[in-house]
Amino acid sequence: MKRIQIVTGHYGSGKTEYAVNLALHLAQDHENVALADMDIVNPYFRSYEQAKMLEDAGIRVIVTSCGGIADIPAINPEVMSIFQQEKWTGVLDIGGDPIGARVLARFAPQLKPEDFDLLFVLNANRPETKDVESALQYMRGIEAECRQKVTGIVNNTHLCGETTAEEILKGARLAQELSERTSLPVIHHAVQRKFVEQVQNKLSEPVLPMNIYMKKPWEIIFCEEE
């Protein structure tokens, strides 16, 4: 994969969960991996929630808030080090809608000489991306705001705790339709580990096994009450 991986997708697509898993996957083969949380729109699913786990895995975590204490709508200047120092393999988790994706436009000068991927995380169970027309429209909206072109599609279709192998395969079919419409490759299918054996022989593209790390806000509250 290219040195810089930029992750975007609709809110609820699971893009942050994917970004966390992707960083962990890259850390298996690269010494200097950084995960930059650049989502200044959505305060609920943020990669800094797993900062300790990621740092224990040798991953540098760059957040947009004051150490997770408060959310501030500003990009941490440490993000620039990913562009300036080629030793870093970077995963950038940007906003999951066109407005959030606008953050990336600020880095157009830094991205111009870079070899990077802009990955569109697709969940066929989100109403806004449930079919190829709506998914294509949403993807084009993100491209317009961030002033970059998507380079690959990631199928991350799920229904949280209600996910089944059939749902993942449904998402694979939608990803293939979107790929045919755009001539973009399906990079891989992000699949929760317990479903990997059920689907991998039915998919043409690679599978990225996923662990579930991100908790929903109500799950965090429940744990605290316990």
Side-chain angles (χ1 to χ4, degrees):
M1 301 184 76
K2 295 177 181 176
R3 188 176 77 83
I4 295 178
Q5 301 290 308
I6 305 169
V7 180
T8 188
H10 187 268
Y11 171 75
S13 64
K15 70 174 184 65
T16 296
E17 188 78 78
Y18 169 72
V20 168
N21 276 271
L22 179 60
L24 289 166
H25 174 73
L26 292 172
Q28 296 175 16
D29 298 315
H30 298 80
E31 291 186 2
N32 300 297
V33 175
L35 172 60
D37 181 350
M38 298 172 64
D39 188 347
I40 62 174
V41 174
N42 173 26
Y44 297 112
F45 296 93
R46 302 293 293 275
S47 52
Y48 69 64
E49 295 171 12
Q50 294 298 329
K52 184 179 187 305
M53 181 272 295
L54 290 162
E55 289 167 352
D56 287 345
I59 297 168
R60 176 185 173 200
V61 180
I62 302 172
V63 302
T64 55
S65 60
C66 295
I69 299 171
D71 284 305
I72 299 173
I75 296 298
N76 190 322
E78 284 189 48
V79 172
M80 290 296 295
S81 64
I82 296 176
F83 300 110
Q84 294 169 344
Q85 301 177 27
E86 292 187 0
K87 70 176 183 178
W88 289 102
T89 297
V91 177
L92 312 184
D93 180 9
I94 67 171
D97 56 25
I99 295 175
R102 193 175 300 167
V103 167
L104 193 63
R106 305 181 192 178
F107 296 93
Q110 287 76 31
L111 286 170
K112 189 173 182 179
E114 283 289 347
D115 190 25
F116 69 93
D117 276 318
L118 176 56
L119 304 178
F120 181 66
V121 178
L122 177 66
N123 183 348
N125 288 319
R126 296 302 302 173
E128 296 82 356
T129 54
K130 65 181 179 180
D131 54 51
V132 68
E133 294 296 339
S134 57
L136 179 59
Q137 181 179 1
Y138 203 88
M139 188 182 78
R140 295 305 187 209
I142 289 175
E143 289 179 328
E145 292 296 338
C146 72
R147 303 177 191 173
Q148 302 292 339
K149 291 293 185 181
V150 169
T151 61
I153 301 162
V154 174
N155 169 34
N156 189 34
T157 297
H158 63 88
L159 277 171
C160 297
E162 303 301 317
T163 303
T164 64
E166 289 72 25
E167 293 295 333
I168 296 167
L169 295 173
K170 177 183 75 174
R173 291 191 291 271
L174 177 58
Q176 182 59 40
E177 288 183 60
L178 185 59
S179 173
E180 292 172 357
R181 286 287 298 274
T182 60
S183 298
L184 294 171
V186 177
I187 302 299
H188 45 219
H189 303 271
V191 177
Q192 193 174 348
R193 287 187 183 276
K194 65 180 180 180
F195 296 114
V196 169
E197 291 187 3
Q198 299 177 51
V199 303
Q200 62 182 356
N201 292 331
K202 300 176 182 179
L203 298 169
S204 302
E205 299 81 16
V207 169
L208 178 71
M210 296 263 287
N211 292 322
I212 304 303
Y213 297 106
M214 305 305 298
K215 289 185 171 62
K216 303 173 186 64
W218 53 90
E219 291 175 336
I220 295 172
I221 293 172
F222 178 78
C223 290
E224 290 176 348
E225 289 177 348
E226 289 292 307

